[in-house]
Structures are given as structure tokens and as C-alpha cells.
Amino acid sequence: MDFSLNNARAQKVWCDTDNLWLLLIDGRQLSVPLIFFPRLSNADSESRSNYELSGGGIAIHWESLDEDLYVPNLLLGITDVNRLNKSA
């Protein structure tokens, strides 16, 4: 299997109380602390579960939360762009 960023596409997304979880198409699972995503962290579980995958799973969109994540960035450790810009 090719474990490169080319396969950095989600097939399933879910949250527990502390983490955002992704199951990637190549079988990898990724967890990222919700605290890195203020909109997701502050949302209720129903809002977190109401997402859409786009680009064959390369991006995740939460319409009601105005949140968009790019899956390859998550694998590279790049989280909420707004959070990164505030520290610059």
C-alpha cells in the first residue's frame, strides 16, 4: 500500500470528547485533539457529526460550523489556520 499523502483521503470522520478521528482510505487512523479546532471543540456532538466529505475525502466540511479541514494538512500537523495566524 502507498502510505503517501496521495492516499490522505478520509472515508469516515468522528469525534469523541477529546479528539477528532479520521479513518483514511488506506486504513490509517488519525486522531487530532479537538482543542486545535475551536469551532469543533465548542460544538455539540450533533453538529460535529454533520459533516460532508469532498474531493473524494480530501476535505471535510461542516456547513453549520463554517469549518473546513484539508486532510493532507492534518497528516502534516497543520491544524486550524486561524489558530496558526494568531500566533504569528
Side-chain angles (χ1 to χ4, degrees):
M1 263 196 198
D2 180 9
F3 291 107
S4 70
L5 288 178
N6 295 329
N7 282 333
R9 293 184 285 140
Q11 64 178 339
K12 181 179 176 184
V13 178
W14 70 98
C15 296
D16 60 24
T17 56
D18 299 313
N19 296 291
L20 168 68
W21 289 89
L22 285 76
L23 175 61
L24 304 182
I25 62 164
D26 61 12
R28 289 180 287 177
Q29 286 189 8
L30 174 67
S31 77
V32 183
L34 280 173
I35 196 153
F36 290 141
F37 313 100
R39 291 181 185 125
L40 291 174
S41 182
N42 293 322
D44 59 37
S45 60
E46 183 178 340
S47 296
R48 289 181 194 154
S49 65
N50 188 18
Y51 67 90
E52 296 176 9
L53 296 175
S54 60
I58 202 164
I60 312 161
H61 175 68
W62 288 265
E63 180 73 31
S64 65
L65 301 176
D66 191 29
E67 182 73 85
D68 295 284
L69 300 178
Y70 184 60
V71 175
N73 281 355
L74 297 176
L75 284 173
L76 294 171
I78 301 169
T79 58
D80 187 335
V81 174
N82 295 324
R83 181 177 168 271
L84 295 175
N85 288 337
K86 288 179 185 176
S87 64

